[in-house]
Structure formats: structure tokens, C-alpha cells
Amino acid sequence: METKIAVLASGAGSNFKALVQGDTEPGIVDILLTDNINAGALKLAEELGIESKYLYPGKYKTKFGIREEELWTQFLIDRGIQLICLAGLMRIVKGPLLEAFNGRIMNIHPSLLPAFPGLDAQGQAFKYGVKIAGCTVHYVDKGTDTGPIILQESVAVLDSDQRDSLAERILLKEHQIYSKAVKAHCTGRAVYSKVVR
Ligand code: GAR
């Protein structure tokens, strides 16, 4: 039985692309939604032949307006979406969306959580001087980057690294683990309350 996935992205969309091209079966990316009319992800969606839609997120910068979050939620319910994958959505999800899709929203974050939650995780890790950085796919809960962890991958920090070179290598790992985590969810190997390996 197919699992219909919506990917929510604000930026370039490389994780969205990795989800479309990776093996997520029986999950299938049905639509890309964005809160940013200029998101690179919109162009990628066109190239990949995936339907996409911009929806107004409200007047705030890092969260949805209450009414707008209700509209996004209704759109996703009406569309028959069963799993939401946040892929560089630069907005906190907490109200109606989390209630309607509790346990069915995943996020990718560019650090080894619980270290370095929040914005510019790669920059935070680089500045701190860690020797091992990485990325995490986790379920979304009410906190910021705090939900149950599904998969992580480490990335060694090289002496020659700058913030951006490190971020590039982390991004490559992100692309590898996101589809694996989605597949684990869609095949019942990962569930919100208990992540089975
Ligand atoms: C990725 O590095 C993702 O982990 C990060 O934004 C980037 C989006 O890149 N997400 C966060 O920092 C969320 N807290 P992409 O648009 O190329 O997928």
C-alpha cells in the first residue's frame, strides 16, 4: 500500500530531490509545498515532474500564522497525505499541523542531535570545534529539533574545513539518510513511539 508523502521546503530543495530520486518505497513523493515563492525547490519540482504549490505562511518569519497553518493542514488532509517530510522548511511546526499529523512528520537537521539544534547547525558545530559533525532524521514533536531520532550519520571535520566545506559534506550525507529513514517509516520499521532498527 502506497504512502503519500508531501515534502515541505523553503530553500534550494536538494533534500527534496534526494527524496524523489531515492528509494522510499512504498512511500511516494506526491507534492512539494513551499512557503517561499522564490525557493529553488520549485524549479526542481518542475524538472522532476512533481506537482508543487506555494502557500502563504502568514506574516511571521519563523512560524506559521494560526489561520495559515490551519489552511496548510486542511490542504494536506484533503490531498490524502500520510507523511510529511520537512526538508529545509525554515519555520516551526507546532499548532494544527502537528496535531493532525502527530507522529507522521519527519525532519532532517544538519547536526548530530541533540547537539546544535536551531539555526545554522553546521556553523554552530564548526565554531564549537567538534571533530565529528553529522546529520539527523527525526520525528517532529513540540520542541525544536527534539523528537525521536530515526537515523544519524557522522561526518569527520577536517583540519582544512571551513563552515561551508563542512556543510557541503554534511549535505551529501543528508541526501543518503533521508530516503532511508522515510523507507523505514513507510515499511513500519520506524514509528513515532518506538524507532525499530
Ligand atoms: C539542509 O541542510 C537541512 O538539513 C537544513 O536546511 C538545508 C536545506 O537544504 N535544515 C535545517 O537547518 C532545519 N532546521 P536543501 O534545501 O538543499 O534541502
Side-chain angles (χ1 to χ4, degrees):
M1 182 62 178
E2 175 182 298
T3 306
K4 271 175 107 174
I5 301 168
V7 179
L8 275 49
S10 304
S14 70
N15 277 293
F16 157 63
K17 184 177 177 181
L19 285 177
V20 172
Q21 294 184 333
D23 173 15
T24 55
E25 264 186 32
I28 176 137
V29 177
D30 180 57
I31 192 164
L32 169 87
L33 280 189
T34 185
D35 57 347
N36 173 12
I37 196 77
N38 297 312
L42 281 172
K43 189 157 184 289
L44 279 181
E46 201 183 330
E47 285 166 18
L48 294 163
I50 302 288
E51 192 175 327
S52 64
K53 194 171 174 65
Y54 162 80
L55 282 178
Y56 178 62
K59 63 183 177 182
Y60 306 104
K61 274 208 164 143
T62 57
K63 62 176 186 178
F64 288 95
I66 291 181
R67 180 77 193 115
E68 285 77 14
E69 193 166 336
E70 279 168 6
L71 291 172
W72 279 61
T73 305
Q74 201 53 53
F75 177 86
L76 290 159
I77 291 171
D78 292 346
R79 180 98 190 174
I81 293 301
Q82 292 149 304
L83 175 67
I84 295 174
C85 292
L86 309 183
L89 182 79
M90 292 308 178
R91 216 168 270 279
I92 293 165
V93 168
K94 51 178 179 183
L97 197 52
L98 193 56
E99 271 156 41
F101 287 90
N102 197 17
R104 294 184 297 143
I105 308 180
M106 282 185 188
N107 181 42
I108 183 130
H109 184 76
S111 78
L112 290 174
L113 290 171
F116 311 120
L119 290 177
D120 191 26
Q122 309 96 324
Q124 292 184 54
F126 182 72
K127 259 198 204 148
Y128 195 92
V130 297
K131 300 300 176 195
I132 306 283
C135 49
T136 303
V137 183
H138 65 95
Y139 286 110
V140 173
D141 67 5
K142 280 188 180 149
T144 302
D145 303 323
T146 52
I149 291 172
I150 304 165
L151 270 182
Q152 293 186 302
E153 189 69 63
S154 61
V155 174
V157 182
L158 308 176
D159 289 343
S160 56
D161 265 332
Q162 295 300 317
R163 183 246 171 241
D164 288 355
S165 56
L166 176 62
E168 263 175 42
R169 290 205 311 291
I170 294 174
L171 192 59
L172 293 178
K173 292 284 188 194
E174 292 181 37
H175 298 162
Q176 292 168 15
I177 64 169
Y178 210 173
S179 52
K180 279 189 198 163
V182 168
K183 192 172 175 93
H185 176 90
C186 296
T187 52
R189 282 177 293 125
V191 289
Y192 181 70
S193 55
K194 185 167 156 227
V195 178
V196 186
R197 272 168 251 286

